[in-house]
Amino acid sequence: MYRSHTCGELGIKDIDREVTLSGWVQKVRDKGFVVWIDLRDRYGLTQLVFDEERTPKQLLEQAKALGRETVVRVLGTVIERASKNPNRTTGEIEVLVKELSILNKALLPPFTIEDETDGGDDLRMKYRYLDIRRTPIRDNLIFRHTVTMEVRNYLSAQGFIEVETPYLIKSTPEGARDFLVPSRMNEGQFYALPQSPQTFKQLLMVGGMDKYFQIVKCFRDEDLRADRQPEFTQIDCEMAFVEQEDVLQMFEGLTRHLLKAIKGVEIGPFPRMTYDEAMRRYGNDKPDIRFGMEFGELNAVAQHKDFNVFNTAELVVGIAVPGAASYTRKEIDKLIDWAKRPQVGAKGMVYVKCNEDGTFKSSVDKFYDQEDLAQWAKITGAKTGDLILILSGEANTTRAQLSTLRMEMAERLGWRKPDEFAPLWVIDFPLLELDEATGHYHAMHHPFTSPKPGQLELLDTDPGAVRANAYDLVLNGNEIGGGSIRIHDKETQAIMFKHLGFTPEEARAQFGFLMDAFQYGAPPHGGIAFGLDRLVAILGGQETIRDFIAFPKNNSGRDVMIDAPATIDEEQLKELHLKVDA
Amino acid sequence: MYRSHTCGELGIKDIDREVTLSGWVQKVRDKGFVVWIDLRDRYGLTQLVFDEERTPKQLLEQAKALGRETVVRVLGTVIERASKNPNRTTGEIEVLVKELSILNKALLPPFTIEDETDGGDDLRMKYRYLDIRRTPIRDNLIFRHTVTMEVRNYLSAQGFIEVETPYLIKSTPEGARDFLVPSRMNEGQFYALPQSPQTFKQLLMVGGMDKYFQIVKCFRDEDLRADRQPEFTQIDCEMAFVEQEDVLQMFEGLTRHLLKAIKGVEIGPFPRMTYDEAMRRYGNDKPDIRFGMEFGELNAVAQHKDFNVFNTAELVVGIAVPGAASYTRKEIDKLIDWAKRPQVGAKGMVYVKCNEDGTFKSSVDKFYDQEDLAQWAKITGAKTGDLILILSGEANTTRAQLSTLRMEMAERLGWRKPDEFAPLWVIDFPLLELDEATGHYHAMHHPFTSPKPGQLELLDTDPGAVRANAYDLVLNGNEIGGGSIRIHDKETQAIMFKHLGFTPEEARAQFGFLMDAFQYGAPPHGGIAFGLDRLVAILGGQETIRDFIAFPKNNSGRDVMIDAPATIDEEQLKELHLKVDA
């Protein structure tokens, strides 16, 4: 037997009990006549004690010689501690050791196994199995488990059935790139790994499963931006015989349940905002509404003077930053530089200080009088002591820039509190999105999203104006879920494919099975998919998903721990009927 | 709103209620003056009624014209049925329809959507979304969901954490073939899809996760035998600081829980049997112990006469088939032919009838007297009226043949009852298995399995004799789970790799990360993996796994519904730095 108890459970109630513990040596404190060892396992830390009086000499010497991370088993007696540690659940006791066996030795770890480690990212990833020993990472993985259990039990109680869909499917070249899997048994043919189980969940609706969910890995062979993974996990859901309202209600329920069960936070009905409104008020389709600092559009009150920068701009738009009128000239210059960084991309920035005495001081005092500036303050909601920051230019670009600035200022103000949760539905997304590079429209959500009733005709005349039955669930400025009511008839689906540039033959070759299925009695249906990695990170009050993934890949898509991908045997290539084409 | 209720919930309590239902037209019974329609959804069937008296003429005509599988929504009033149907939960009521809208039309399905369908396997797979509408398949998928929920909740309550391990890993050429995934970003390099998360779960133990599980897809690019799938699902589990007994107790608990919670069957402690004993008594390492019919070894009492077939055989072994003495000569000849089929492979079969009058009649009366035959009856446990069937030859081959025969006879006797459950632990598996073709030993379980204490030395002298800390959980003649206590130190692992024919360089290249990990304080650990597809099928009282998988592949590894694998664009190949080598 390796243990009678874990290292996290002994207390005063166990005094005088003989116990066996196993775990890792966290720390050895050698005072000569007495040695204390913190023994660690998943469940906690327990202090072991050896001393000259009560411990055989040989055992005491053995204890002194133990290195960090050595795996040991001890047999001993629980005794009350002289100096208790109230910060530790086992802090009232220690175990006086009688027997100690070394289960496995340990080399000195390449970084310290502490909450704050001295290991850099690369080292932590290479030795991820050691990184996982650290409490923050361990707790993140346990937290992820807790979230998925809550999700599954909630959805199951609501009548959803988890159905596993296949991983070896067919490539669909539009959209993001697929990972491909050559078939040995079918020469020259390939499977693809799913970017999402989209078509399969729709087929399950055609198949009458009514309510489906799956927590499932998805794959995208994209050039990785920071904090993206080539394999990621979705909570994938679909319901039949529903309208948009049914889907919103159901998954608002799930999200509310998670916030309550996991964070103890009670949230009322989630606010809703159209895509257009979100863009206008926050410059962003996933606004962080934990705080205000909403956009004020200033065209009407800023384009009547001789300031050409504003007069030639499609949009002049500002935000009021509370209390920032006290920024020095130097601080403001630094902020302007920040906004001009390529990552933000502003050409310049106009500011207005709302002084304590009710006057205004701006960087454009040459062009505008106090009355103009008072108007700007009114529109941006600026109060005495605030600083108005104004950007201008092409509308979409300027909104995106000001949105980035808004988030930065909120960060500086301490408004992005990880323990505060502000969910929001963004609805009425455009159906199509213009790809500026190619001049083609592509599906903003995906090709199976249905247009709003009566808007199908607009596709020919004003495709960009067509709105979709599509919705995103936004939490603290992050899109945590997105979905839509789907097309469920062959004719509409064919029209969509046409507008997305598919020939009928291409549509048939790639999605023939789905269009066939729609002919055999497809019910109206819709759904949503949550990005689990991000959801868990946000619920956990953190921004990076990598620390919530046991074995993440780096930005080159490599697993540096196992050193994958790697070259393979010639024999394997041959069996797959492939040659590397250098 | 598409529905106020499902098609499975209305009853007498709802009389006079106005309801909205949506679903598929299962059946239209048109009596001219009255039309009944069975409306179907996942939850059941509800009878709709239209008649000349109460239904507007146009609506009645519309109802009459509805084709099977049309998707409709109806508004109507719940009324009591004149002739009730006690076999249906909604059988006491029907819905008198006021409004009907067709939500989607349906072509005539290629096979009937009934419990017993007229569709063959190929057609059912091509239109799997229609097949899933059939009650047996739908119920199987819901059953699978129920089983996985029970597994997750049980293991979670026992302190197990579900951790997702990566799908894009590294190829390990020994063992079964990997599916490979070319990397676009790393030219000429490949990921592999996991055959199991074996090394990752061991690293999680090194990482201190203590108790891990995952319900996870695994992949093997094998030539598919009947009822194997290239992608399959495992319940993958691992525990640290455990001995074999701990693992057996834990997963016996899980299995007992599943049998109780899902089948209502209470099972006591599971019997255990060594591999050697299982082979001797049942000729099989996964014996079905729902019934006896154990092997009787007859060498000692059958090799003393002039019957050369037996005298030259390594093993003479028989079973007693209850009541089969009444088989006619013709029936016995047919059985002998059955045993000689290539799938079984016996060269011949000797039989002994145990007559009602206490005498014996055998096919070898020329060589053996009544006393001999009485001995055989005693050893095989044959009673009056039984038929003893005897095979002989090389021991392993003969055992396998007789095991197949034993299962066939049990089937004929109706002893393989799907609602009876007889779990069994088979323990003490050999560590290595001789590959007759190559003369090399390979790991019977996998290269990470630990040998029994003190047997490491035997590896050099008698590798086949080394026993492992490996165990299988067998249920009704199927291996539903298998596992082992793992090696957890670098030295032993290196010895194992050497004996499996790895050079140190090969071992390092493929498993260096694991051997490194073992140096940083690896705890003793072990685990088990259950084949979920098979477990669910057996719990569901069925033998084929395909009907418990939503979208299975056929024996050529094809998904005939979506037509995958398929050829891909030249552009995609080029991006992957690959050429097809025809």
Side-chain angles (χ1 to χ4, degrees):
Chain A
M1 188 191 54
Y2 284 108
R3 57 189 176 195
S4 60
H5 295 77
T6 69
C7 295
E9 62 181 307
L10 295 173
I12 286 291
K13 66 188 186 309
D14 302 298
I15 296 289
D16 291 336
R17 193 190 286 261
E18 184 144 290
V19 297
T20 304
L21 299 179
S22 287
W24 287 264
V25 172
Q26 174 77 20
K27 200 188 275 181
V28 180
R29 272 171 304 146
D30 179 359
K31 299 288 177 193
F33 62 99
V34 58
V35 175
W36 287 286
I37 290 179
D38 279 346
L39 190 67
R40 187 195 70 232
D41 66 12
R42 190 184 103 196
Y43 311 92
L45 288 168
T46 296
Q47 181 165 297
L48 310 178
V49 63
F50 308 73
D51 67 29
E52 282 184 346
E53 251 172 64
R54 295 172 291 182
T55 309
K57 192 166 170 32
Q58 198 191 348
L59 183 52
L60 184 67
E61 292 309 314
Q62 198 185 6
K64 289 182 180 198
L66 287 175
R68 280 184 173 231
E69 300 304 316
T70 305
V71 187
V72 300
R73 168 174 50 191
V74 296
L75 174 72
T77 311
V78 180
I79 60 176
E80 189 163 358
R81 258 159 89 160
S83 90
K84 298 195 169 54
N85 180 349
N87 299 323
R88 196 183 278 183
T89 53
T90 62
E92 297 190 295
I93 58 95
E94 57 193 357
V95 172
L96 178 66
V97 174
K98 278 188 240 173
E99 288 176 34
L100 179 149
S101 32
I102 294 179
L103 301 176
N104 216 341
K105 279 180 281 189
L107 296 179
L108 188 73
F111 51 85
T112 54
I113 312 293
E114 304 278 359
D115 290 8
E116 298 292 330
T117 181
D118 56 356
D121 257 19
D122 290 351
L123 210 54
R124 286 176 47 212
M125 289 305 133
K126 184 165 164 55
Y127 297 92
R128 182 63 162 178
Y129 46 88
L130 298 178
D131 198 33
I132 290 172
R133 284 190 198 158
R134 298 194 307 115
T135 308
I137 306 295
R138 181 197 68 200
D139 285 353
N140 284 353
L141 296 180
I142 295 176
F143 183 76
R144 183 181 178 118
H145 168 68
T146 307
V147 173
T148 59
M149 288 302 294
E150 287 293 340
V151 169
R152 283 197 163 95
N153 282 310
Y154 184 88
L155 291 177
S156 190
Q158 297 288 330
F160 284 80
I161 304 298
E162 185 162 23
V163 180
E164 293 178 55
T165 53
Y167 278 87
L168 296 172
I169 67 166
K170 192 156 83 169
S171 182
T172 54
E174 99 296 350
R177 257 188 226 95
D178 290 320
F179 279 105
L180 297 173
V181 184
S183 166
R184 180 177 55 86
M185 289 203 272
N186 304 274
E187 182 177 330
Q189 300 192 354
F190 292 75
Y191 303 98
L193 300 179
Q195 296 186 29
S196 91
Q198 183 62 34
T199 49
F200 288 95
K201 70 175 172 178
Q202 294 193 243
L203 292 174
L204 286 172
M205 293 305 104
V206 177
M209 283 307 291
D210 206 74
K211 288 192 186 127
Y212 145 92
F213 83 103
Q214 189 183 188
I215 300 188
V216 61
K217 273 282 175 76
C218 301
F219 305 85
R220 264 181 222 171
D221 186 8
E222 289 176 304
D223 298 313
L224 298 172
R225 286 184 271 150
D227 218 27
R228 282 264 193 145
Q229 290 282 318
E231 48 177 306
F232 54 97
T233 307
Q234 282 191 355
I235 307 168
D236 192 49
C237 309
E238 197 79 5
M239 305 167 75
F241 300 114
V242 287
E243 290 159 336
Q244 173 168 309
E245 188 60 31
D246 301 304
V247 181
L248 299 193
Q249 288 298 341
M250 177 62 73
F251 293 97
E252 186 164 322
L254 169 66
T255 310
R256 191 177 290 119
H257 170 77
L258 291 179
L259 287 166
K260 180 77 176 71
I262 290 173
K263 304 303 293 185
V265 175
E266 300 254 19
I267 306 249
F270 294 2
R272 297 180 188 185
M273 197 179 285
T274 66
Y275 170 87
D276 289 339
E277 189 184 349
M279 293 306 288
R280 204 177 59 243
R281 290 171 59 186
Y282 301 97
N284 199 315
D285 62 2
K286 38 179 195 285
D288 191 338
I289 60 165
R290 279 175 295 185
F291 51 90
M293 213 154 49
E294 292 189 22
F295 285 19
E297 297 194 358
L298 303 175
N299 292 41
V301 291
Q303 295 187 319
H304 60 300
K305 293 287 170 73
D306 280 343
F307 187 47
N308 222 26
V309 174
F310 280 2
N311 292 348
T312 58
E314 188 184 352
L315 179 70
V316 182
V317 60
I319 51 171
V321 185
S326 60
Y327 269 37
T328 63
R329 180 63 210 235
K330 207 170 158 192
E331 284 171 325
I332 290 178
D333 281 345
K334 262 182 78 178
L335 191 58
I336 292 173
D337 286 344
W338 187 91
K340 286 161 104 174
R341 298 187 318 154
Q343 296 91 322
V344 187
K347 295 241 171 61
M349 183 164 73
V350 168
Y351 69 86
V352 184
K353 285 185 172 190
C354 306
N355 296 323
E356 293 296 340
D357 61 4
T359 64
F360 300 96
K361 169 83 191 98
S362 84
S363 55
V364 286
D365 282 350
K366 205 157 36 147
F367 301 100
Y368 299 95
D369 56 32
Q370 292 286 312
E371 215 165 296
D372 290 326
L373 301 181
Q375 281 280 354
W376 299 4
K378 195 173 159 214
I379 289 170
T380 58
K383 305 266 174 308
T384 298
D386 291 359
L387 177 70
I388 307 172
L389 301 175
I390 301 164
L391 300 180
S392 62
E394 191 271 324
N396 288 339
T397 318
T398 307
R399 286 198 173 104
Q401 292 163 355
L402 192 63
S403 171
T404 309
L405 185 62
R406 174 177 174 268
M407 294 302 277
E408 171 66 17
M409 299 318 292
E411 185 70 46
R412 295 185 185 191
L413 288 161
W415 282 357
R416 293 169 71 179
K417 299 197 186 104
D419 54 351
E420 194 177 305
F421 295 94
L424 167 74
W425 286 110
V426 177
I427 58 174
D428 297 356
F429 273 80
L431 183 67
L432 303 174
E433 196 173 33
L434 186 64
D435 183 336
E436 310 268 352
T438 63
H440 290 302
Y441 280 96
H442 60 82
M444 192 152 186
H445 192 57
H446 55 49
F448 315 108
T449 299
S450 64
K452 290 268 170 201
Q455 300 210 333
L456 203 56
E457 298 65 37
L458 263 179
L459 275 176
D460 286 316
T461 54
D462 188 4
V466 179
R467 288 299 179 263
N469 293 309
Y471 33 83
D472 275 359
L473 184 54
V474 174
L475 185 59
N476 296 1
N478 294 279
E479 179 207 327
I480 57 164
S484 63
I485 299 298
R486 326 298 182 186
I487 296 164
H488 68 278
D489 67 281
K490 187 174 179 173
E491 293 69 34
T492 310
Q493 191 62 68
I495 292 170
M496 269 303 289
F497 281 135
K498 193 188 81 185
H499 279 279
L500 294 171
F502 285 74
T503 65
E505 294 69 33
E506 285 166 349
R508 173 94 226 139
Q510 286 176 41
F511 298 109
F513 60 96
L514 186 67
M515 294 169 78
D516 284 349
F518 284 171
Q519 293 187 290
Y520 288 101
H525 61 285
I528 195 166
F530 291 82
L532 178 68
D533 306 297
R534 174 123 358 248
L535 175 65
V536 169
I538 295 169
L539 289 176
Q542 296 180 36
E543 299 266 322
T544 53
I545 63 173
R546 228 163 66 157
D547 283 346
F548 289 84
I549 297 172
F551 300 103
K553 294 193 169 51
N554 74 9
N555 282 351
S556 318
R558 293 199 70 82
D559 182 326
V560 296
M561 180 185 71
I562 63 169
D563 194 25
T567 54
I568 56 169
D569 288 358
E570 268 308 309
E571 189 53 39
Q572 287 178 289
L573 265 181
K574 214 169 139 188
E575 281 195 328
L576 297 173
H577 326 285
L578 289 179
K579 267 185 182 163
V580 171
D581 183 23
Chain B
M1 188 191 54
Y2 284 108
R3 58 189 176 194
S4 60
H5 295 77
T6 70
C7 295
E9 61 181 307
L10 295 173
I12 285 292
K13 67 188 185 309
D14 303 298
I15 296 290
D16 292 335
R17 193 190 286 261
E18 185 144 293
V19 297
T20 304
L21 299 180
S22 286
W24 287 264
V25 172
Q26 173 76 18
K27 199 189 274 183
V28 181
R29 269 172 306 147
D30 178 0
K31 299 289 179 191
F33 63 99
V34 57
V35 174
W36 286 287
I37 290 179
D38 278 347
L39 190 68
R40 187 195 70 233
D41 67 12
R42 190 184 103 195
Y43 311 92
L45 287 168
T46 297
Q47 180 164 296
L48 311 177
V49 63
F50 308 73
D51 67 28
E52 283 185 342
E53 251 173 63
R54 295 171 292 182
T55 310
K57 193 167 168 30
Q58 200 190 345
L59 182 52
L60 184 67
E61 292 309 314
Q62 201 186 1
K64 288 183 183 198
L66 287 175
R68 279 185 172 227
E69 300 304 317
T70 304
V71 187
V72 300
R73 167 173 51 190
V74 295
L75 174 71
T77 310
V78 180
I79 58 175
E80 189 163 1
R81 255 157 93 162
S83 88
K84 299 194 166 60
N85 179 350
N87 299 321
R88 195 183 277 183
T89 53
T90 63
E92 296 191 294
I93 57 94
E94 57 194 357
V95 173
L96 179 65
V97 175
K98 276 189 241 174
E99 287 176 37
L100 179 150
S101 31
I102 293 179
L103 300 175
N104 216 340
K105 277 179 279 187
L107 296 179
L108 188 71
F111 50 85
T112 54
I113 313 294
E114 305 278 357
D115 290 7
E116 298 292 331
T117 181
D118 56 355
D121 258 18
D122 291 351
L123 210 54
R124 285 176 48 211
M125 289 306 133
K126 184 166 164 55
Y127 297 93
R128 183 62 162 179
Y129 46 86
L130 298 179
D131 198 31
I132 290 171
R133 283 190 199 159
R134 299 194 307 115
T135 308
I137 306 296
R138 179 196 69 200
D139 286 353
N140 284 352
L141 295 179
I142 295 174
F143 183 76
R144 184 182 178 117
H145 167 69
T146 307
V147 172
T148 60
M149 288 302 294
E150 287 292 340
V151 169
R152 283 196 162 96
N153 283 310
Y154 184 89
L155 291 177
S156 190
Q158 297 288 330
F160 285 80
I161 305 297
E162 185 162 23
V163 179
E164 293 178 55
T165 53
Y167 278 86
L168 296 172
I169 65 166
K170 191 156 83 168
S171 184
T172 54
E174 100 298 349
R177 256 187 226 96
D178 289 321
F179 279 105
L180 296 173
V181 183
S183 165
R184 181 177 55 85
M185 290 202 273
N186 303 274
E187 182 177 330
Q189 299 192 353
F190 293 74
Y191 303 97
L193 300 179
Q195 296 184 29
S196 91
Q198 182 63 33
T199 50
F200 288 95
K201 70 176 172 176
Q202 292 193 242
L203 292 174
L204 286 172
M205 294 304 104
V206 177
M209 284 305 293
D210 207 72
K211 288 194 188 123
Y212 144 93
F213 83 102
Q214 188 183 190
I215 300 187
V216 62
K217 273 281 176 76
C218 301
F219 304 85
R220 265 180 221 171
D221 186 10
E222 289 175 304
D223 299 313
L224 297 171
R225 285 186 272 150
D227 218 26
R228 283 263 195 147
Q229 291 281 318
E231 48 178 306
F232 54 97
T233 308
Q234 281 191 355
I235 308 168
D236 192 49
C237 309
E238 198 80 3
M239 305 167 76
F241 299 113
V242 288
E243 291 160 333
Q244 174 168 309
E245 187 60 31
D246 301 305
V247 181
L248 299 193
Q249 288 297 342
M250 178 61 75
F251 293 97
E252 186 163 322
L254 169 65
T255 311
R256 192 177 290 117
H257 171 76
L258 291 178
L259 287 167
K260 179 78 175 74
I262 290 172
K263 306 301 295 185
V265 176
E266 300 255 20
I267 307 249
F270 295 2
R272 297 180 187 186
M273 198 178 286
T274 66
Y275 171 86
D276 290 339
E277 188 184 349
M279 293 307 286
R280 204 176 60 243
R281 289 171 58 187
Y282 301 97
N284 199 314
D285 61 3
K286 39 180 194 283
D288 191 337
I289 61 164
R290 279 176 294 185
F291 50 91
M293 212 154 51
E294 291 189 23
F295 285 18
E297 296 194 357
L298 304 174
N299 290 41
V301 293
Q303 296 186 317
H304 60 300
K305 294 290 171 70
D306 281 345
F307 186 46
N308 221 30
V309 173
F310 281 2
N311 293 349
T312 59
E314 188 184 354
L315 180 69
V316 181
V317 60
I319 52 171
V321 185
S326 60
Y327 269 39
T328 61
R329 179 62 214 235
K330 207 170 154 189
E331 283 171 324
I332 292 179
D333 282 346
K334 262 183 78 178
L335 190 59
I336 294 174
D337 285 345
W338 186 91
K340 287 162 103 174
R341 296 188 320 154
Q343 297 92 323
V344 187
K347 294 240 169 61
M349 183 165 70
V350 167
Y351 69 86
V352 182
K353 286 185 173 187
C354 307
N355 296 322
E356 293 296 337
D357 61 5
T359 64
F360 301 96
K361 169 80 192 95
S362 83
S363 56
V364 286
D365 283 350
K366 222 177 354 171
F367 300 101
Y368 299 94
D369 56 31
Q370 291 286 308
E371 219 165 290
D372 291 326
L373 302 180
Q375 283 280 355
W376 299 4
K378 195 174 160 212
I379 290 169
T380 58
K383 304 270 176 307
T384 297
D386 291 1
L387 178 70
I388 308 172
L389 301 174
I390 302 164
L391 300 180
S392 63
E394 191 273 322
N396 289 340
T397 317
T398 306
R399 284 198 174 105
Q401 292 163 355
L402 191 64
S403 171
T404 308
L405 184 62
R406 174 176 175 268
M407 294 301 277
E408 170 68 14
M409 298 319 291
E411 184 72 45
R412 293 184 187 191
L413 286 161
W415 282 357
R416 294 170 69 179
K417 299 197 188 102
D419 53 351
E420 195 177 305
F421 295 94
L424 168 74
W425 286 110
V426 177
I427 58 174
D428 297 356
F429 272 80
L431 183 67
L432 303 173
E433 196 172 34
L434 185 65
D435 184 336
E436 310 269 354
T438 64
H440 291 302
Y441 279 96
H442 59 82
M444 192 153 183
H445 193 56
H446 55 49
F448 315 107
T449 299
S450 65
K452 290 268 169 201
Q455 301 211 332
L456 204 57
E457 297 65 35
L458 263 179
L459 275 175
D460 287 315
T461 53
D462 188 3
V466 178
R467 287 299 179 263
N469 292 311
Y471 33 82
D472 277 358
L473 183 53
V474 174
L475 186 59
N476 296 2
N478 295 279
E479 178 207 325
I480 57 165
S484 64
I485 299 298
R486 326 299 182 184
I487 295 165
H488 67 279
D489 68 283
K490 187 176 179 172
E491 294 68 34
T492 311
Q493 191 63 67
I495 293 171
M496 268 304 289
F497 282 135
K498 192 188 81 184
H499 279 280
L500 295 171
F502 286 73
T503 66
E505 294 70 33
E506 284 167 349
R508 173 95 224 138
Q510 287 177 41
F511 298 110
F513 60 96
L514 185 67
M515 293 169 79
D516 285 350
F518 284 170
Q519 294 187 292
Y520 288 101
H525 61 285
I528 195 166
F530 290 83
L532 179 67
D533 306 297
R534 178 133 344 260
L535 175 65
V536 170
I538 295 169
L539 289 176
Q542 296 179 39
E543 299 265 321
T544 53
I545 63 173
R546 227 163 69 159
D547 283 346
F548 289 84
I549 297 171
F551 300 103
K553 294 193 170 50
N554 73 10
N555 282 351
S556 319
R558 293 198 72 82
D559 182 327
V560 295
M561 181 185 71
I562 64 170
D563 195 23
T567 54
I568 57 169
D569 287 0
E570 268 309 309
E571 190 51 41
Q572 289 178 286
L573 265 182
K574 213 169 142 189
E575 281 195 327
L576 298 173
H577 326 284
L578 288 179
K579 265 185 183 162
V580 170
D581 183 23

